[in-house]
């Protein structure tokens, strides 16, 4: 299982939100590009870049910063999202050199667009974000709850050709209390490969996720920024397990 550092951007700075709450923000760096380069220098093979401004407004806002990050980390793959709700937005990010584009709200509200995106760009260049609280899906920057279960959406996405989802337990995001291993295991049985997010606070949490068949990666944010887990070389970003 690969560990992917998160670079969340809001108002031009590198931040983390607690449980997706924009009112509970911690600023970790004024320069997201320098932070991305820092993780790349430590051997991270992937970066997870989120345009939080875009997630809230419904269209990408930080395209220049995303582009600068991609250029600053040659040899590192970048997946990026936040407010991606059209084929044009996906195309713009891919044109910047992003390896995978993360789409969330639109997958639930316009599943036909997901199928169109797969036909146009290929399944390997897309990740569908399924963000949930108590198993119920949240959309529009996590500010709106939908009356549908996360597993149901995962199954729907698999049926239209989605290969990879990014699953976040909002209640655990930024808490470092431990990931929702049970949720990740259920989603991994839905016919999709899972990138797990939310709650990682120590190396043992990564080992637990790596033990789930079908979980190929884990996103880590606050635990990295606050030194709870400190990778020093490229091999540290890979954790053994069943996945």
């Amino acid at each position: 299982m690969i560990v992917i550092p998160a670079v969340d951007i809001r108002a031009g700075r590198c931040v983390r939100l607690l449980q997706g709450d924009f009112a509970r923000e911690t600023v970790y760096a004024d320069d997201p590009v320098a932070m991305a380069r820092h993780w790349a220098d430590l051997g991270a093979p992937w970066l997870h870049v989120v345009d939080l401004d875009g997630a809230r407004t419904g269209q990408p806002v930080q395209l220049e910063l995303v582009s600068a990050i991609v250029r600053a980390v040659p040899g590192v793959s970048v997946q990026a999202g936040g407010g991606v709700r059209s084929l044009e937005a996906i195309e713009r990010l891919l044109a910047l050199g992003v390896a995978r584009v993360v789409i969330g709200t639109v997958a639930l509200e316009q599943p036909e667009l997901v199928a169109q995106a797969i036909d146009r760009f290929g399944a390997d260049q897309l990740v569908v974000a399924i963000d949930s609280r108590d198993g119920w899906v949240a959309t529009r920057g996590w500010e709106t709850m939908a009356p549908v279960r996360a597993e149901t959406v995962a199954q729907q996405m698999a049926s239209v050709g989605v290969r990879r989802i990014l699953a976040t337990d909002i209640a655990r995001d930024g808490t470092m209390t431990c990931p929702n291993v049970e949720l990740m295991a259920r989603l991994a049985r839905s016919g999709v490969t899972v990138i797990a997010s939310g709650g990682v606070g120590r190396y043992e949490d990564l080992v637990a996720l790596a033990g789930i068949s079908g979980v190929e990666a884990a996103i880590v944010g606050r635990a990295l920024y606050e030194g709870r887990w400190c990778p020093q070389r490229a091999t540290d970003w890979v954790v053994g397990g069943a996945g």
Side-chain angles (χ1 to χ4, degrees):
M1 184 189 76
I2 298 171
V3 182
I4 305 176
V7 180
D8 293 355
I9 304 169
R10 187 182 184 201
R13 299 184 296 182
C14 183
V15 308
R16 293 294 290 167
L17 306 181
L18 181 61
Q19 297 177 325
D21 188 344
F22 282 84
R24 293 190 287 177
E25 173 189 276
T26 301
V27 177
Y28 286 107
D30 290 328
D31 187 350
V33 177
M35 185 56 66
R37 192 180 293 114
H38 170 71
W39 301 130
D41 289 345
L42 289 178
W46 279 84
L47 294 177
H48 177 67
V49 179
V50 181
D51 176 356
L52 292 172
D53 299 301
R56 205 170 195 185
T57 63
Q59 58 184 2
V61 173
Q62 302 289 352
L63 288 173
E64 289 187 10
L65 265 177
V66 173
S67 178
I69 288 172
V70 171
R71 296 195 307 270
V73 292
V76 176
S77 298
V78 174
Q79 69 176 28
V84 181
R85 299 177 192 172
S86 68
L87 294 176
E88 291 74 21
I90 296 170
E91 188 169 40
R92 283 199 299 270
L93 283 167
L94 291 174
L96 296 179
V98 168
R100 293 196 298 234
V101 176
V102 181
I103 57 177
T105 296
V106 72
L108 185 65
E109 297 181 353
Q110 301 178 56
E112 68 281 359
L113 187 142
V114 178
Q116 293 170 8
I118 290 172
D119 287 341
R120 183 165 170 179
F121 306 112
D124 285 331
Q125 291 188 293
L126 297 173
V127 181
V128 171
I130 301 179
D131 309 315
S132 62
R133 190 187 300 273
D134 297 325
W136 297 98
V137 171
T139 62
R140 298 187 174 272
W142 298 359
E143 296 185 317
T144 302
M145 299 303 298
V148 61
R149 303 291 289 181
E151 293 95 323
T152 300
V153 176
Q155 292 163 4
Q156 291 172 344
M157 292 300 101
S159 71
V160 299
V162 170
R163 295 179 184 172
R164 186 175 283 105
I165 66 168
L166 168 60
T168 302
D169 183 334
I170 297 169
R172 305 197 189 200
D173 189 66
T175 66
M176 299 190 292
T177 55
C178 79
N180 190 334
V181 174
E182 295 78 13
L183 172 65
M184 302 306 162
R186 292 199 305 271
L187 290 172
R189 292 193 292 269
S190 300
V192 289
T193 297
V194 174
I195 301 171
S197 177
V200 172
R202 54 183 185 158
Y203 181 75
E204 289 78 7
D205 294 333
L206 295 171
V207 172
L209 289 171
I212 304 171
S213 180
V215 173
E216 72 168 12
I219 306 294
V220 182
R222 188 177 167 195
L224 276 170
Y225 288 96
E226 298 190 3
R228 294 286 192 95
W229 180 64
C230 303
Q232 299 298 319
R233 53 192 181 277
T235 53
D236 292 342
W237 299 92
V238 180
V239 180

